[in-house]
Amino acid sequence: MSNDQAPTALILGGTGRTGSLLAGKLARRGIAARTASRRGADVRFDWDDPATHADAVAGVDRLYLVTPVLRVRYAQQVADFLDLAETAGLRHVTFLSAYNADQAPEGIDIAAVEADLAGRPAITHSVLRPAWVMQNFTDDHLPVIDGVLTVPSGGGAEAFVDADDVAAAAAETLADPAAHAGAQYALTGPQALTFRETADIISDVAGQPVFYNDIDQEEWISGALAAGVAPDYAVMLRWLTGAIIAGHGSTPADDIEKVTGRPPTTFRAFAERNARAWTREAR
């Protein structure tokens, strides 16, 4: 990218929960945004089809990096793509990582990607480590089925975060990379809640009973595998739920307010905004 070109960000996962919100936020900051996904985005991008990579990074100087979904082994694919992007003029990466990524078990490449970015002196990087996003409750990740929310937790809590807040933090790092170079941000909501407490809030805003079923962890994982989740992804599901069960779920941090200048969204505010997601059956 030449010095006279306007800043341009490539948003991987451009139709996803955070990526779909990011382009507009960047446009309001004067940053051109190019969404990329296998379908429905500005450009087609497929991690498994390198032929789609060069066009995606052409003229781009900053990147919102979302690794392949529902996988645990992807470090080499990401490294190869970053090599290509650097050659094309990439100068900054904001990486959508995960809360406590440095504690991920062996076999999950998320920490390896963080290390790869840290080892690239020609580019700056920022790492976003979000807690479980609240949108899990309004899509197929943690659906309320027949009035029941089913997920293993052992009574543990999590500081659930709104994907819009994650996108807002990402926008700040991409709009001003120098100010956030080398930063690692723990992105959480303002309070740690148990799943039973989230079920109570959903029940309240939806105006109909929602009960919580604290299912056995291995039974829940077996159900996910039976539903089509790749077998090697079980290690990720075990890690994510195991942290909460062990009492090591995410805890409230002030990074969202520090980065964006506004406090993070509460779960109740999120639920009120999305109440229709749980009342469709009643209509």
Side-chain angles (χ1 to χ4, degrees), residues 141-154:
H141 288 77
L142 299 175
V144 175
I145 301 175
D146 296 328
V148 179
L149 171 66
T150 300
V151 60
S153 73

PDB file of all heavy atoms in Angstrom, residues 141-154:
ATOM      1  N   HIS A 141     -25.972 -21.228  19.401  1.00  0.00           N
ATOM      2  CA  HIS A 141     -24.949 -21.688  20.334  1.00  0.00           C
ATOM      3  C   HIS A 141     -25.558 -22.114  21.664  1.00  0.00           C
ATOM      4  O   HIS A 141     -25.250 -23.192  22.186  1.00  0.00           O
ATOM      5  CB  HIS A 141     -23.905 -20.590  20.561  1.00  0.00           C
ATOM      6  CG  HIS A 141     -23.006 -20.370  19.385  1.00  0.00           C
ATOM      7  ND1 HIS A 141     -23.410 -19.675  18.261  1.00  0.00           N
ATOM      8  CD2 HIS A 141     -21.723 -20.750  19.151  1.00  0.00           C
ATOM      9  CE1 HIS A 141     -22.421 -19.656  17.386  1.00  0.00           C
ATOM     10  NE2 HIS A 141     -21.382 -20.285  17.900  1.00  0.00           N
ATOM     11  N   LEU A 142     -26.408 -21.256  22.236  1.00  0.00           N
ATOM     12  CA  LEU A 142     -27.048 -21.553  23.524  1.00  0.00           C
ATOM     13  C   LEU A 142     -28.537 -21.254  23.423  1.00  0.00           C
ATOM     14  O   LEU A 142     -29.061 -20.370  24.095  1.00  0.00           O
ATOM     15  CB  LEU A 142     -26.419 -20.715  24.650  1.00  0.00           C
ATOM     16  CG  LEU A 142     -24.931 -20.910  24.933  1.00  0.00           C
ATOM     17  CD1 LEU A 142     -24.457 -19.920  25.988  1.00  0.00           C
ATOM     18  CD2 LEU A 142     -24.646 -22.340  25.400  1.00  0.00           C
ATOM     19  N   PRO A 143     -29.245 -21.996  22.597  1.00  0.00           N
ATOM     20  CA  PRO A 143     -30.658 -21.683  22.398  1.00  0.00           C
ATOM     21  C   PRO A 143     -31.519 -22.069  23.600  1.00  0.00           C
ATOM     22  O   PRO A 143     -31.193 -22.999  24.347  1.00  0.00           O
ATOM     23  CB  PRO A 143     -31.024 -22.538  21.180  1.00  0.00           C
ATOM     24  CG  PRO A 143     -30.112 -23.730  21.282  1.00  0.00           C
ATOM     25  CD  PRO A 143     -28.810 -23.174  21.823  1.00  0.00           C
ATOM     26  N   VAL A 144     -32.591 -21.324  23.779  1.00  0.00           N
ATOM     27  CA  VAL A 144     -33.615 -21.709  24.745  1.00  0.00           C
ATOM     28  C   VAL A 144     -34.614 -22.588  24.002  1.00  0.00           C
ATOM     29  O   VAL A 144     -35.286 -22.129  23.070  1.00  0.00           O
ATOM     30  CB  VAL A 144     -34.312 -20.472  25.340  1.00  0.00           C
ATOM     31  CG1 VAL A 144     -35.469 -20.894  26.253  1.00  0.00           C
ATOM     32  CG2 VAL A 144     -33.314 -19.623  26.116  1.00  0.00           C
ATOM     33  N   ILE A 145     -34.677 -23.858  24.371  1.00  0.00           N
ATOM     34  CA  ILE A 145     -35.542 -24.824  23.684  1.00  0.00           C
ATOM     35  C   ILE A 145     -36.636 -25.279  24.637  1.00  0.00           C
ATOM     36  O   ILE A 145     -36.344 -25.798  25.721  1.00  0.00           O
ATOM     37  CB  ILE A 145     -34.730 -26.028  23.181  1.00  0.00           C
ATOM     38  CG1 ILE A 145     -33.638 -25.560  22.209  1.00  0.00           C
ATOM     39  CG2 ILE A 145     -35.636 -27.056  22.515  1.00  0.00           C
ATOM     40  CD1 ILE A 145     -32.699 -26.656  21.750  1.00  0.00           C
ATOM     41  N   ASP A 146     -37.878 -25.061  24.225  1.00  0.00           N
ATOM     42  CA  ASP A 146     -39.025 -25.426  25.063  1.00  0.00           C
ATOM     43  C   ASP A 146     -38.899 -24.842  26.469  1.00  0.00           C
ATOM     44  O   ASP A 146     -39.194 -25.509  27.470  1.00  0.00           O
ATOM     45  CB  ASP A 146     -39.184 -26.952  25.130  1.00  0.00           C
ATOM     46  CG  ASP A 146     -39.497 -27.562  23.771  1.00  0.00           C
ATOM     47  OD1 ASP A 146     -40.163 -26.889  22.969  1.00  0.00           O
ATOM     48  OD2 ASP A 146     -39.065 -28.704  23.518  1.00  0.00           O
ATOM     49  N   GLY A 147     -38.406 -23.603  26.517  1.00  0.00           N
ATOM     50  CA  GLY A 147     -38.323 -22.917  27.792  1.00  0.00           C
ATOM     51  C   GLY A 147     -37.169 -23.331  28.676  1.00  0.00           C
ATOM     52  O   GLY A 147     -37.149 -22.987  29.867  1.00  0.00           O
ATOM     53  N   VAL A 148     -36.168 -24.021  28.104  1.00  0.00           N
ATOM     54  CA  VAL A 148     -35.039 -24.503  28.903  1.00  0.00           C
ATOM     55  C   VAL A 148     -33.717 -24.083  28.253  1.00  0.00           C
ATOM     56  O   VAL A 148     -33.520 -24.284  27.049  1.00  0.00           O
ATOM     57  CB  VAL A 148     -35.075 -26.032  29.074  1.00  0.00           C
ATOM     58  CG1 VAL A 148     -33.880 -26.512  29.900  1.00  0.00           C
ATOM     59  CG2 VAL A 148     -36.381 -26.470  29.740  1.00  0.00           C
ATOM     60  N   LEU A 149     -32.837 -23.514  29.056  1.00  0.00           N
ATOM     61  CA  LEU A 149     -31.472 -23.200  28.654  1.00  0.00           C
ATOM     62  C   LEU A 149     -30.568 -24.300  29.192  1.00  0.00           C
ATOM     63  O   LEU A 149     -30.514 -24.522  30.405  1.00  0.00           O
ATOM     64  CB  LEU A 149     -31.055 -21.847  29.224  1.00  0.00           C
ATOM     65  CG  LEU A 149     -29.584 -21.437  29.076  1.00  0.00           C
ATOM     66  CD1 LEU A 149     -29.228 -21.240  27.611  1.00  0.00           C
ATOM     67  CD2 LEU A 149     -29.300 -20.166  29.872  1.00  0.00           C
ATOM     68  N   THR A 150     -29.872 -24.998  28.307  1.00  0.00           N
ATOM     69  CA  THR A 150     -29.082 -26.159  28.698  1.00  0.00           C
ATOM     70  C   THR A 150     -27.615 -25.948  28.355  1.00  0.00           C
ATOM     71  O   THR A 150     -27.252 -25.821  27.183  1.00  0.00           O
ATOM     72  CB  THR A 150     -29.592 -27.435  27.999  1.00  0.00           C
ATOM     73  OG1 THR A 150     -30.961 -27.654  28.360  1.00  0.00           O
ATOM     74  CG2 THR A 150     -28.763 -28.648  28.398  1.00  0.00           C
ATOM     75  N   VAL A 151     -26.773 -25.892  29.399  1.00  0.00           N
ATOM     76  CA  VAL A 151     -25.334 -25.751  29.208  1.00  0.00           C
ATOM     77  C   VAL A 151     -24.648 -26.108  30.524  1.00  0.00           C
ATOM     78  O   VAL A 151     -25.166 -25.796  31.593  1.00  0.00           O
ATOM     79  CB  VAL A 151     -24.975 -24.306  28.764  1.00  0.00           C
ATOM     80  CG1 VAL A 151     -25.413 -23.303  29.795  1.00  0.00           C
ATOM     81  CG2 VAL A 151     -23.493 -24.150  28.485  1.00  0.00           C
ATOM     82  N   PRO A 152     -23.506 -26.783  30.483  1.00  0.00           N
ATOM     83  CA  PRO A 152     -22.826 -27.130  31.733  1.00  0.00           C
ATOM     84  C   PRO A 152     -22.092 -25.939  32.332  1.00  0.00           C
ATOM     85  O   PRO A 152     -21.452 -25.170  31.617  1.00  0.00           O
ATOM     86  CB  PRO A 152     -21.836 -28.218  31.300  1.00  0.00           C
ATOM     87  CG  PRO A 152     -21.544 -27.911  29.868  1.00  0.00           C
ATOM     88  CD  PRO A 152     -22.815 -27.358  29.309  1.00  0.00           C
ATOM     89  N   SER A 153     -22.189 -25.773  33.643  1.00  0.00           N
ATOM     90  CA  SER A 153     -21.477 -24.671  34.293  1.00  0.00           C
ATOM     91  C   SER A 153     -21.076 -24.978  35.721  1.00  0.00           C
ATOM     92  O   SER A 153     -20.228 -24.281  36.270  1.00  0.00           O
ATOM     93  CB  SER A 153     -22.337 -23.399  34.293  1.00  0.00           C
ATOM     94  OG  SER A 153     -23.390 -23.508  35.231  1.00  0.00           O
ATOM     95  N   GLY A 154     -21.691 -25.977  36.332  1.00  0.00           N
ATOM     96  CA  GLY A 154     -21.386 -26.268  37.723  1.00  0.00           C
ATOM     97  C   GLY A 154     -21.660 -25.109  38.662  1.00  0.00           C
ATOM     98  O   GLY A 154     -21.057 -25.011  39.726  1.00  0.00           O
TER      99      GLY A 154
END
